[in-house]
Amino acid sequence: MYSQRLCLEPLKPDHAELLFDGLQSARIYDFIEDVPPESVESLRDRYMMLARRQSRDGTEIWLNWAVWSFVDKCYVGYVQATITVDNSAILGYVFFPNLWGKGYAREAVKCMINYLVETYQNMDFRADVNLQNYRSIALLHNLGFVQSKQDEFNHEVQYRKR
């Protein structure tokens, strides 16, 4: 998939080596429950599982894309959508901190949403965000998401878009 400045490539095990260094920044993990990958090999194993594009029980479709910038001539992060049996898409995205503020996240997530709307129709979009992740909250507002519920115990807020 293409947007004005980006190419969204279906995530493959070969992307592990290309994304590994960018995923080492501790700032990425301030607001998500994940840790930097331990090795290229462990990341490749994870990407091999995701490349199956569905859960073992077949109840979820996993769509993941590595994001390449034509402007900066490098990978800038990734976007993902988990399609559930009720035709909802749970969205996620990670962008490398040294490229924050360039609008890549907005452009890539918008491109992904457009693809999902064309492919799956009548989709309900959801994103769960840490209450203190102001950048992500602003991104979702910019894309037309509205807050649907807040879980202060988990420090998360859920945003939805139809």
Side-chain angles (χ1 to χ4, degrees):
M1 290 188 294
Y2 297 94
S3 66
Q4 184 177 357
R5 303 176 299 159
L6 304 173
C7 176
L8 280 65
E9 303 171 354
L11 192 68
K12 296 179 182 170
D14 293 344
H15 283 109
E17 189 171 355
L18 303 168
L19 298 176
F20 180 80
D21 287 341
L23 292 171
Q24 294 306 300
S25 174
R27 292 177 61 200
I28 291 172
Y29 307 96
D30 286 346
F31 303 114
I32 61 175
E33 292 184 15
D34 204 354
V35 295
E38 292 180 17
S39 66
V40 171
E41 293 75 25
S42 67
L43 189 58
R44 186 177 293 116
D45 290 345
R46 176 172 170 73
Y47 288 175
M48 196 171 305
M49 179 195 65
L50 293 174
R52 289 194 321 243
R53 297 177 53 103
Q54 72 176 14
S55 60
R56 288 198 188 275
D57 63 6
T59 60
E60 295 179 338
I61 298 170
W62 299 333
L63 303 173
N64 297 272
W65 295 271
V67 181
W68 172 266
S69 165
F70 295 119
V71 176
D72 286 297
K73 297 181 181 19
C74 64
Y75 286 94
V76 297
Y78 66 83
V79 294
Q80 59 189 29
T82 299
I83 312 299
T84 62
V85 293
D86 65 351
N87 210 34
S88 291
I90 303 167
L91 305 184
Y93 39 87
V94 169
F95 287 84
F96 306 147
N98 62 317
L99 296 160
W100 288 353
K102 292 189 171 195
Y104 289 147
R106 180 180 37 78
E107 189 172 331
V109 173
K110 184 175 181 179
C111 183
M112 175 177 58
I113 288 172
N114 290 342
Y115 167 80
L116 294 170
V117 167
E118 290 172 13
T119 306
Y120 294 93
Q121 292 87 35
N122 299 317
M123 179 141 298
D124 179 41
F125 297 99
R126 187 181 104 202
D128 298 311
V129 182
N130 183 291
L131 288 166
Q132 296 178 349
N133 191 344
Y134 302 117
R135 284 180 172 273
S136 191
I137 290 170
L139 166 67
L140 294 169
H141 279 290
N142 183 274
L143 293 171
F145 282 73
V146 294
Q147 183 176 333
S148 62
K149 65 180 178 179
Q150 185 170 329
D151 183 349
E152 292 185 27
F153 179 74
N154 289 329
H155 306 288
E156 286 195 346
V157 62
Q158 184 177 96
Y159 284 85
R160 289 191 173 276
K161 175 181 172 137
R162 288 228 20 75

